[in-house]
Amino acid sequence: MVHVWDITIPELTGDETRKAYVYLPESYDWEPGRRYPVLYMFDGHNVFFDSHATYGKCWGMKEYLDSTGTPLIVAAVECNHSPNNGRLSEYSPYSFQDPKLGKVVGRGKETMEWLIHTFKEEIDRNFRTLPERENTFIAGSSMGGLMSLYAVLEYNRVFSRGAALSPSIWVAPGKIRNLIEHAKLQPDTVLYMDYGSREMNFHPNMLQQFRYVTSQLLERRVMLECRIVPGGNHCEASWEKQIPFFLNTLLYQP
């Protein structure tokens, strides 16, 4: 079951509405005393429904979770669709300059503060969650993958595990490496990170940046699963195929 409703984020876009989504596992109704871990995801409009997805193809999260009986709540919010780099701004922790995009003002910190102190509190208040850090995860792709990496590092007190699919580390590779070096990380931190093999020529030095970031994460003793996806590309159809990989990492229990 996926609940959909309209919300506003006054800190970011004033009174403009966007959609919020919450997936509840099939067991939610017939096990009324049970509580569930929560996975927060970016680009919520692309997560569940083809009819809502930007390019007409979603991740198919509901179908996968229903078919596997995965005991997990998934909460997601639609991105900012403003043509003036709205999504890039909200999903970047850092301001950056790009020859094609121009100057992008990073508002990722504001996005995360809202997600943690407003959206997460609403989800924990209205649904039977396990709100503690060890049961709170985050995931996204592209700029949402960058935000997931940022969230696990900068807000490690909130998120114990994350999945960064095709993360846009090209935005500010030096600042990301600095964050990894100085982040206050708990020893149980888990991260899944991947790129599609067909993405590796999208940006200069992409393979090198991926190698630097993953090496640093391992040096920080993050429990990391990283992959180059054979034939993988930068699209929802490709990310959908990675669901079993990253969910198995996020939900793995020894």
Side-chain angles (χ1 to χ4, degrees), residues 58-175:
C58 74
W59 288 49
M61 282 291 291
K62 179 183 184 301
E63 288 74 16
Y64 178 85
L65 294 170
D66 283 349
S67 67
T68 56
T70 303
L72 179 70
I73 292 174
V74 179
V77 177
E78 185 178 6
C79 78
N80 183 339
H81 295 289
S82 168
N84 189 28
N85 293 328
R87 177 177 178 273
L88 295 178
S89 177
E90 289 188 3
Y91 284 3
S92 179
Y94 312 106
S95 297
F96 66 97
Q97 186 82 31
D98 183 85
K100 295 181 180 179
L101 302 169
K103 172 78 171 184
V104 176
V105 177
R107 304 186 70 189
K109 181 176 178 62
E110 294 168 73
T111 299
M112 287 307 307
E113 291 291 326
W114 172 84
L115 190 150
I116 292 168
H117 298 295
T118 301
F119 188 58
K120 182 181 185 300
E121 289 185 6
E122 180 179 350
I123 298 301
D124 289 336
R125 184 167 56 248
N126 293 324
F127 300 96
R128 297 197 310 273
T129 69
L130 293 167
E132 300 81 7
R133 174 185 175 276
E134 57 267 29
N135 293 296
T136 304
F137 318 133
I138 195 160
S141 61
S142 190
M143 293 297 292
L146 172 64
M147 284 291 284
S148 298
L149 177 61
Y150 170 69
V152 169
L153 296 170
E154 183 69 17
Y155 297 91
N156 195 254
R157 68 186 185 280
V158 179
F159 303 100
S160 61
R161 302 186 177 198
L165 286 72
S166 307
S168 299
I169 57 177
W170 58 268
V171 163
K175 292 180 180 177

Side-chain angles (χ1 to χ4, degrees), residues 195 199-211:
Y195 280 103
E199 298 182 74
M200 297 315 294
N201 294 322
F202 283 5
H203 297 281
N205 304 316
M206 196 164 180
L207 181 59
Q208 185 180 55
Q209 291 175 13
F210 180 63
R211 185 168 65 248

